[in-house]
Amino acid sequence: MNEKTLFMLKKVLFYAFIFTVVAWIIIPLIVSALYAFSTKTDYYDPNKVIPTSFTSEWVKIILFTLGAWDGIKNSVIVALLTIAISFLLGVPAGYAIARYVFKGKDTIKLSIIALRMFPIPIMAIPLVVLYIKLHLVDTLLGVALAHTAMALPFVVLITSSIFASVDKELEEAAMVFGLTRFGAFKAITLPLALPGLAAAAMFTFVMSWNEVFVASVLTLKNRTLPAQILSIVAGAAGGAAPAYYKFAAAFIMVLPAMLFIFFARKYLITMWGITLR
């Protein structure tokens, strides 16, 4: 086998691998979208693989009759609260790790990562007991605080990498010309790090949006969208919800996140570009 043939074979295998990965991701999304709007007749017709008759009835029932629309609003509120609290605590910590040299710095980084080692289900009962005592059960703030606990380690590590990518000499030069450290941070570091911070915020948003276990355990009425969807297709329906309801629920769950990722993709690329630079 000559060199040219080997090169072509590697190229074919590479594109075949890419096609397989893309198909693995895209085909379930297409199937969910098709059957979310399929009529009962087409859905249960054994001679039809792809439906030809469509209806929006199932999506409307999930959204407005069974409460998924309220879940969407709750998810947005919880995600925004999670971003605000995570950044209020995580950005200063990330900046300190990036800019200062102190004893135990590496240990602190490892400890931050180690916080994600504990499975959430084993902490469910103590968490519920604590929330009952603090009167945070079935509140959006309570869910946001729990999501913050999960997102904060990533926020600290991501923001520390982003701040480390901004040259320290720029801040020092600004301080030589009379700015305070906070002034130098606001005038120099923050604008340069803003695209990466925006991407970190979007990463936190997606993490909060997709979380289901904590929201299901800590809420009953004020549920986020994933918990509400789980209640609709499993809990409230006793696990016997019609399959086309489940496809409609999957479509409702995936669509907002897909749209969010589509519009945020350039910021996510910016984040990884900065952290890997």
Side-chain angles (χ1 to χ4, degrees):
M1 184 179 295
N2 58 42
E3 186 176 342
K4 185 176 181 180
T5 304
L6 183 61
F7 174 77
M8 291 300 297
L9 180 60
K10 289 181 179 180
K11 193 173 182 180
V12 169
L13 291 175
F14 173 76
Y15 282 113
F17 173 75
I18 295 298
F19 176 80
T20 303
V21 172
V22 172
W24 183 269
I25 297 171
I26 294 297
I27 289 176
L29 298 178
I30 295 174
V31 170
S32 296
L34 285 174
Y35 286 109
F37 295 95
S38 172
T39 60
K40 287 183 182 180
T41 305
D42 277 20
Y43 184 83
Y44 289 111
D45 188 345
N47 299 316
K48 283 189 177 181
V49 177
I50 299 176
T52 56
S53 301
F54 299 97
T55 178
S56 60
E57 180 181 357
W58 323 128
V59 174
K60 289 180 180 177
I61 290 174
I62 296 291
L63 278 175
F64 303 110
T65 304
L66 298 178
W69 180 249
D70 292 330
I72 291 175
K73 292 186 288 186
N74 289 340
S75 285
V76 171
I77 294 171
V78 167
L80 293 177
L81 285 173
T82 301
I83 292 172
I85 301 171
S86 296
F87 271 56
L88 183 65
L89 300 175
V91 170
Y95 181 81
I97 290 174
R99 284 290 183 262
Y100 297 104
V101 178
F102 51 89
K103 188 176 181 180
K105 181 176 178 178
D106 292 335
T107 303
I108 290 176
K109 285 185 176 181
L110 290 174
S111 300
I112 291 172
I113 298 173
L115 293 174
R116 298 294 296 150
M117 289 180 7
F118 300 97
I120 295 176
I122 67 173
M123 297 185 290
I125 294 177
L127 189 62
V128 171
V129 172
L130 176 63
Y131 269 50
I132 290 174
K133 292 181 178 179
L134 296 176
H135 304 289
L136 289 173
V137 171
D138 204 14
T139 64
L140 298 182
L141 177 60
V143 178
L145 290 174
H147 287 183
T148 298
M150 293 185 289
L152 189 57
F154 295 102
V155 171
V156 173
L157 294 176
I158 290 172
T159 54
S160 66
S161 298
I162 292 169
F163 289 133
S165 69
V166 179
D167 291 336
K168 186 178 181 181
E169 288 77 11
L170 296 175
E171 283 188 12
E172 293 174 347
M175 293 170 66
V176 167
F177 285 100
L179 290 178
T180 62
R181 178 169 290 277
F182 178 74
F185 170 80
K186 186 172 67 172
I188 304 296
T189 306
L190 187 59
L192 293 175
L194 199 57
L197 294 178
M202 293 171 187
F203 182 82
T204 305
F205 185 96
V206 172
M207 180 183 294
S208 174
W209 181 274
N210 290 328
E211 198 285 322
V212 61
F213 181 81
V214 168
S216 299
V217 171
L218 297 179
T219 58
L220 183 61
K221 295 181 180 179
N222 297 313
R223 290 195 157 181
T224 59
L225 180 61
Q228 188 70 20
I229 291 295
L230 181 64
S231 176
I232 290 170
V233 302
Y244 44 83
Y245 273 24
K246 295 178 181 179
F247 278 112
F251 175 78
I252 292 169
M253 183 66 207
V254 168
L255 182 61
M258 292 295 294
L259 291 174
F260 183 82
I261 291 296
F262 176 79
F263 290 109
R265 66 191 187 282
K266 65 177 182 179
Y267 295 105
L268 294 174
I269 292 172
T270 298
M271 179 182 72
W272 299 123
I274 288 177
T275 57
L276 294 176
R277 187 168 60 187

